[in-house]
Amino acid sequence: MMNTEVSLRDALRATIWARMLNAEQMARVEAETFETFVPKGGFVCHKGEAVENWIGIVAGMVKMNNFSPNGKSVTFTGVPPGGWFGEGSLLKQETRKYDAMALRDSRIARMPASTFHWLLDTSLPFTRFLLMQLNERLGQFIGMVENERLLDINTRVARCLASLFHSHLYPGIEQLVQISQEEIGLLSGASRQRANQALQVLEKLGLLRLDYGGIRVLDLDGLRRYEA
């Protein structure tokens, strides 16, 4: 269910990078960052378009993906509430290299490029945050390539869930992950039925519990270490 209670202002102030800003910087961020609503299945942004905003997830879930010429979809990662993306394209001032789609009704924060670059010019801590963000994102994508090529589906589902628990990239995630089995399948490259089978295996091992409204992670380290 989409969180309609948290305000955009509170969501911004809860981010790691906001804690590093002074009063003037935070005031400009709050004044210029705006929110849009994207329904389930809608596009947050399109491949090939000019990158005009740094994008954060206030509520919902977004996946980064691309489509091949024959229509096959390739998902790179999912971004839960609290996550921000698109800084690489903003820094390189290039067109966007991927689509981002809402896996469910989502509230999207959009910081204008001019605000983003102003923060880079005026806040050394913000610049350091972005360096860490880019480094962590690179490590995440390297791990995903390894998972896709070397691991079976059960392990990919386990690693997919574990990847959502990242204190820097996704600081807002909680023990109960509000994600459906269909969404897990999309993020791990498996069908809904096969993702469900994998989740049942992981549940029997005591690593998670399938709850109403999501998946409750019981042993995060176990999910990270799991290998069939």
Side-chain angles (χ1 to χ4, degrees):
M1 181 178 296
M2 185 174 64
N3 188 344
T4 58
E5 297 178 358
V6 63
S7 67
L8 175 60
R9 178 179 181 272
D10 288 343
L12 290 171
R13 288 181 173 251
T15 62
I16 296 173
W17 51 266
R19 303 168 202 165
M20 307 172 183
L21 305 182
N22 61 35
E24 177 193 5
Q25 292 161 343
M26 195 65 217
R28 177 166 174 177
V29 166
E30 291 177 356
E32 298 181 357
T33 302
F34 61 98
E35 180 181 322
T36 59
F37 170 78
V38 181
K40 178 180 178 180
F43 283 87
V44 176
C45 55
H46 292 271
K47 179 180 180 180
E49 70 182 8
V51 181
E52 299 177 344
N53 309 117
W54 191 35
I55 298 174
I57 313 305
V58 178
M61 177 78 72
V62 170
K63 69 170 182 174
M64 299 180 190
N65 69 296
N66 267 337
F67 291 94
S68 67
N70 63 5
K72 182 179 180 181
S73 176
V74 178
T75 297
F76 301 128
T77 188
V79 186
W84 288 73
F85 67 91
E87 59 277 350
S89 296
L90 279 169
L91 289 169
K92 290 185 286 185
Q93 297 184 348
E94 64 182 10
T95 58
R96 199 172 298 281
K97 301 300 183 184
Y98 52 83
D99 294 313
M101 300 178 65
L103 289 174
R104 66 177 74 126
D105 289 353
S106 298
R107 296 172 57 198
I108 307 299
R110 300 180 188 269
M111 180 190 293
S114 58
T115 313
F116 176 88
H117 287 291
W118 178 77
L119 286 178
L120 279 176
D121 292 338
T122 62
S123 175
L124 182 58
F126 183 74
T127 301
R128 288 174 175 159
F129 167 86
L130 285 180
L131 285 173
M132 181 64 72
Q133 176 99 339
L134 290 167
N135 185 59
E136 295 293 342
R137 186 80 70 195
L138 176 61
Q140 182 188 49
F141 285 150
I142 290 173
M144 289 175 59
V145 171
E146 178 185 32
N147 293 348
E148 179 69 25
R149 295 183 179 181
L150 299 180
L151 304 179
D152 71 304
I153 291 179
N154 288 358
T155 308
R156 276 160 44 194
V157 168
R159 301 287 174 84
C160 176
L161 262 178
S163 71
L164 296 177
F165 289 82
H166 195 295
S167 60
H168 186 92
L169 293 175
Y170 315 128
I173 201 75
E174 299 178 351
Q175 188 180 33
L176 176 62
V177 186
Q178 294 183 333
I179 189 169
S180 70
Q181 295 175 23
E182 178 184 11
E183 291 165 349
I184 283 289
L186 289 170
L187 295 178
S188 59
S191 67
R192 181 187 183 282
Q193 292 79 8
R194 186 62 185 85
N196 178 51
Q197 292 173 5
L199 290 169
Q200 291 182 27
V201 169
L202 299 173
E203 184 176 38
K204 289 178 181 178
L205 293 173
L207 302 178
L208 55 83
R209 186 170 70 239
L210 301 178
D211 282 358
Y212 176 77
I215 299 168
R216 186 172 298 278
V217 173
L218 304 177
D219 185 351
L220 179 58
D221 288 337
L223 281 177
R224 288 171 173 160
R225 295 193 306 266
Y226 175 83
E227 190 166 344

